[in-house]
Amino acid sequence: EPEVTQTPSHQVTQMGQEVILRCVPISNHLYFYWYRQILGQKVEFLVSFYNNEISEKSEIFDDQFSVERPDGSNFTLKIRSTKLEDSAMYFCASRGGQLLSGNTIYFGEGSWLTVV
Amino acid sequence: RKEVEQDPGPFNVPEGATVAFNCTYSNSASQSFFWYRQDCRKEPKLLMSVYSSGNEDGRFTAQLNRASQYISLLIRDSKLSDSATYLCVVISNDYKLSFGAGTTVTVRA
């Protein structure tokens, strides 16, 4: 089964530092997403990305966050000047967008970020 | 009103029992519906899509009620391994994905 891969699986960073979370979506997928889940809370939408630009973002996705698809395969989430409350599991996801089963969204295993 | 709402549970059931729960959605133009399963500190994994006619996959049955705007998941003959959080995911006609907060199911021996 095709899969979305994420690195690192776990990162500990000091408050104020920048982190980059990396994702390799499923190769023929067209839509990419970042979600986060604070421990014990619901999955929250951060941003969606299509055709090399952000298509939608949530209120959480402020100037501290940015996304890039630098080389046609990787999809990165950058968090600048991390805060304690950024500690969460960050999930990357992708969706085909094609006619057949294009709406099924597949998640990576997540990157667990701990800000200390 | 939240876009997608689920009964958080927890539903504590004995092995072999049947458990069912719903997910309501607010956007009547929603077009695609899914149930995902999430284990603690793991990523959500697709359990099943929900089709208009209802569908079954082994012990799991999913139904869609467009008139009342809800989907349901029924688990028959519960196993210990069914213990998880079940997330409802709804995709609107403009491809916006909305997640429910999840329903926790605990199956006890």
Side-chain angles (χ1 to χ4, degrees), chain A residues 37 42 91 103 105 107-108, chain B residues 32 36 38 43 91 97 99:
Chain A
Q37 188 174 32
K42 68 176 289 185
F91 293 109
N103 279 342
I105 185 168
F107 287 87
Chain B
S32 298
Y36 280 77
Q38 187 177 28
E43 78 277 21
I91 300 182
L97 281 76
F99 279 79

Side-chain angles (χ1 to χ4, degrees), chain B residues 1-3 5 7 18 24 29 32 38 43 49 51 57 64-65 68-69 72 76 80 83 87 97 106 108-109:
Chain B
R1 181 183 173 186
K2 291 181 184 176
E3 292 179 358
E5 291 196 70
D7 182 342
T18 295
T24 59
S32 298
Q38 187 177 28
E43 78 277 21
S49 305
Y51 302 124
D57 183 2
L64 167 63
N65 186 317
S68 301
Q69 294 183 204
S72 64
R76 280 186 300 278
L80 294 176
S83 297
L87 304 175
L97 281 76
T106 303
R108 62 183 188 273

Side-chain angles (χ1 to χ4, degrees), chain A residues 33 35 37 39 42-43 56 89 91 95 103-109 112, chain B residues 31-32 34 36 38 41-44 46 87 91 95-97 99-101:
Chain A
Y33 305 86
Y35 291 85
Q37 188 174 32
L39 189 61
K42 68 176 289 185
V43 176
E56 189 179 357
M89 181 76 94
F91 293 109
R95 176 170 71 86
N103 279 342
T104 303
I105 185 168
Y106 295 88
F107 287 87
E109 292 186 340
W112 183 250
Chain B
Q31 59 168 308
S32 298
F34 303 89
Y36 280 77
Q38 187 177 28
R41 297 203 182 200
K42 298 285 189 181
E43 78 277 21
L46 179 67
L87 304 175
I91 300 182
Y95 294 105
K96 180 179 175 184
L97 281 76
F99 279 79

